[in-house]
Amino acid sequence: MTALLRAVLFDRDGTLVVDVPYNGDPEAVVPMPGAAAAIARLRAEGIAVGVVSNQSGVARGLLTLEEVDAVNERVDELVGPFDTWQCCPHAPEARCTCRKPQPGLVLRAARALGVDPTETAVIGDIGADVGAATSAGARAVLVPTPLTRQEEIDAAPLVADDLAGALDLLLGAPQSDAGREDHPEAAA
């Protein structure tokens, strides 16, 4: 890696926690396997952690900012804590600069953490997460779920089977999955 890794930003739904569409209920939060261990590993390395999350349910009237905050607090309790939370409450048609794949959330998070975007990585489960990272000048690792489209996997610069594998790619630890070239879905 060319730049020092000082921060890792995570997508929330489908990456840190099981995706429950438009979730406004903290009791419905279920961590993804390995999420808490990944955050603990980064903290042990002295790397800041944050969350960048599209929450268009607010603009659609399906949830309130208070409900989003309550769910985020529950994620903090179960997986975190996180050093910064950056959420976009806008609908896609608003064409804001913060909604992933635009770089706004990543840039805001880097600024809040006092790091340069080039010293940051984003881990997410869809192409919008990768797009936001690359648009901001950050590194990106895709951790596909069954909902991730094949073209998103094919286009991702780095692909890992899980959060531990994503951190191995970013931190340079030895692993059996050497990135997208050996990733079973990337070869499909």
Side-chain angles (χ1 to χ4, degrees), residues 88-126:
C88 172
H90 307 112
E93 50 277 359
R95 300 193 189 284
C96 62
T97 60
C98 56
R99 183 174 175 77
K100 296 179 288 180
Q102 298 301 315
L105 291 178
V106 175
L107 296 173
R108 280 194 336 220
R111 197 167 33 254
L113 295 170
V115 300
D116 190 272
T118 62
E119 300 171 317
T120 304
V122 177
I123 300 174
D125 65 318
I126 62 172

Side-chain angles (χ1 to χ4, degrees), residues 5-7 39-49 83 115 171:
L5 183 64
R6 296 183 54 207
I39 301 310
R41 179 176 173 191
L42 290 168
R43 288 204 170 282
E45 294 278 341
I47 297 171
V49 291
D83 301 308
V115 300
L171 300 174

